[in-house]
């Protein structure tokens, strides 16, 4: 199930429940995704997917305006810090479970374009993981500032339900850019709620081990 909120008065100074740990912000969009999937192996096999940055390029989503499967993330790689001076190999399981801040760069087919992310796995047990991701640097498009650090955030919680059945929860939010012109133009850079739904479902499929281009599309 995917819920999308955009451009609504309900998003002004919105914050989720205290357990999420996010402060209130004037938001442009928020997306909540819930689901279940079967996974027979260790939870480590799920955790490592978050660290396989080079494989993000394999994630496909359905563009309902173009009526074709597209790469969600045409390019991505892990980095040692936000300076982007040194590209490195994907993160190991030990690094992911260290509770350290890990950084990666990606170019994504979303209105933000190129982003440097900071990722931390804050909970990692045999039955539950919690992953927090946010932009570590200012996001710009064509030298125009879109978002300050920490204004583009993701939360993933994956928890065992019974035996090999797992619960999936994700929450994404983007602050409203301070530039009023950008706020006006932003909706024109995407193709509506169907696109947001297809993008977030493609991430669910990737993390749960399903083919990301599995027919039918979530929102054709």
């Amino acid at each position: 199930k995917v819920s999308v909120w955009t451009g609504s008065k309900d998003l002004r100074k919105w914050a989720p429940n205290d357990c999420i740990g996010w402060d209130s912000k004037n938001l442009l969009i928020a997306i909540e995704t819930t689901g279940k999937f079967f996974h027979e192996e260790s939870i480590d096999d799920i955790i490592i997917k978050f660290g396989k940055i080079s494989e993000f390029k394999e994630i496909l989503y359905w563009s309902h305006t173009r009526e074709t499967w597209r790469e969600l993330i045409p390019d991505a790689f892990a980095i040692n810090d936000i300076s982007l001076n040194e590209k490195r190999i994907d993160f190991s399981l030990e690094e992911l479970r260290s509770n350290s801040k890990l950084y990666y760069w990606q170019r994504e087919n979303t209105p933000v374009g190129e982003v440097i992310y900071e990722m931390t796995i804050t909970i990692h047990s045999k039955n539950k993981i919690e992953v927090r991701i946010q932009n570590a640097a200012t996001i710009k498009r064509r030298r125009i500032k879109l978002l300050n650090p920490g204004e583009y955030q993701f939360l993933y919680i994956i928890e065992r339900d019974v035996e090999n059945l797992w619960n999936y929860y994700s929450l994404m939010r983007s602050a409203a850019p301070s530039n009023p012109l950008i706020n006006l133009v932003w909706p024109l850079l995407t193709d509506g709620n169907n696109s947001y739904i297809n993008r977030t479902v493609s991430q669910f499929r990737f993390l749960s081990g399903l083919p990301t281009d599995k027919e039918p599309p979530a929102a054709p």
Side-chain angles (χ1 to χ4, degrees), residues 10-203:
D10 295 336
L11 287 178
R12 292 178 181 174
K13 300 299 180 183
W14 175 87
N17 294 334
D18 292 342
C19 61
I20 299 297
W22 286 353
D23 58 359
S24 62
K25 293 183 185 294
N26 184 19
L27 297 184
L28 185 70
I29 183 170
I31 304 172
E32 183 181 63
T33 307
T34 58
K36 294 179 181 290
F37 64 93
F38 286 96
H39 177 72
E40 297 180 350
E41 305 301 327
S42 163
I43 197 171
D44 288 347
D45 295 297
I46 302 174
I47 295 174
I48 200 65
K49 288 181 178 294
F50 286 95
K52 294 289 187 181
I53 310 301
S54 63
E55 295 183 7
F56 290 0
K57 293 179 283 187
E58 301 174 8
I59 302 174
L60 301 176
Y61 80 101
W62 177 260
S63 171
H64 76 281
T65 55
R66 297 173 176 83
E67 297 185 343
T68 188
W69 294 97
R70 302 185 70 205
E71 293 176 317
L72 179 64
I73 301 164
D75 198 10
F77 52 81
I79 56 178
N80 285 321
D81 55 59
I82 63 173
S83 67
L84 245 185
N85 288 332
E86 189 174 351
K87 179 179 176 181
R88 51 154 292 168
I89 61 173
D90 291 338
F91 300 115
S92 67
L93 180 61
E94 290 72 23
E95 289 175 300
L96 292 164
R97 299 181 67 180
S98 69
N99 204 31
S100 300
K101 294 180 180 180
L102 305 173
Y103 299 94
Y104 62 96
W105 172 92
Q106 72 181 32
R107 176 167 54 87
E108 55 190 60
N109 274 323
T110 72
V112 298
E114 297 183 7
V115 190
I116 296 176
Y117 283 110
E118 172 191 292
M119 173 174 60
T120 308
I121 296 184
T122 49
I123 297 177
H124 42 80
S125 68
K126 67 177 183 179
N127 293 316
K128 182 179 180 179
I129 56 174
E130 177 183 283
V131 182
R132 294 176 180 268
I133 301 171
Q134 64 180 10
N135 63 307
T138 300
I139 296 176
K140 297 181 179 180
R141 289 291 296 268
R142 298 180 180 178
R143 300 184 181 179
I144 299 175
K145 185 178 79 171
L146 299 182
L147 298 169
N148 294 313
E151 291 187 337
Y152 191 43
Q153 298 173 292
F154 299 80
L155 170 69
Y156 298 90
I157 299 175
I158 300 175
E159 188 171 16
R160 190 189 301 272
D161 188 339
V162 290
E163 295 184 356
N164 298 325
L165 182 64
W166 298 78
N167 293 319
Y168 174 97
Y169 177 84
S170 73
L171 182 64
M172 169 270 182
R173 70 173 185 174
S174 172
S178 57
N179 186 321
L181 179 60
I182 298 300
N183 265 327
L184 180 65
V185 172
W186 189 291
L188 304 177
L189 300 178
T190 187
D191 48 5
N193 283 8
N194 282 5
S195 181
Y196 289 122
I197 292 170
N198 287 330
R199 287 177 176 128
T200 194
V201 168
S202 71
Q203 293 172 320

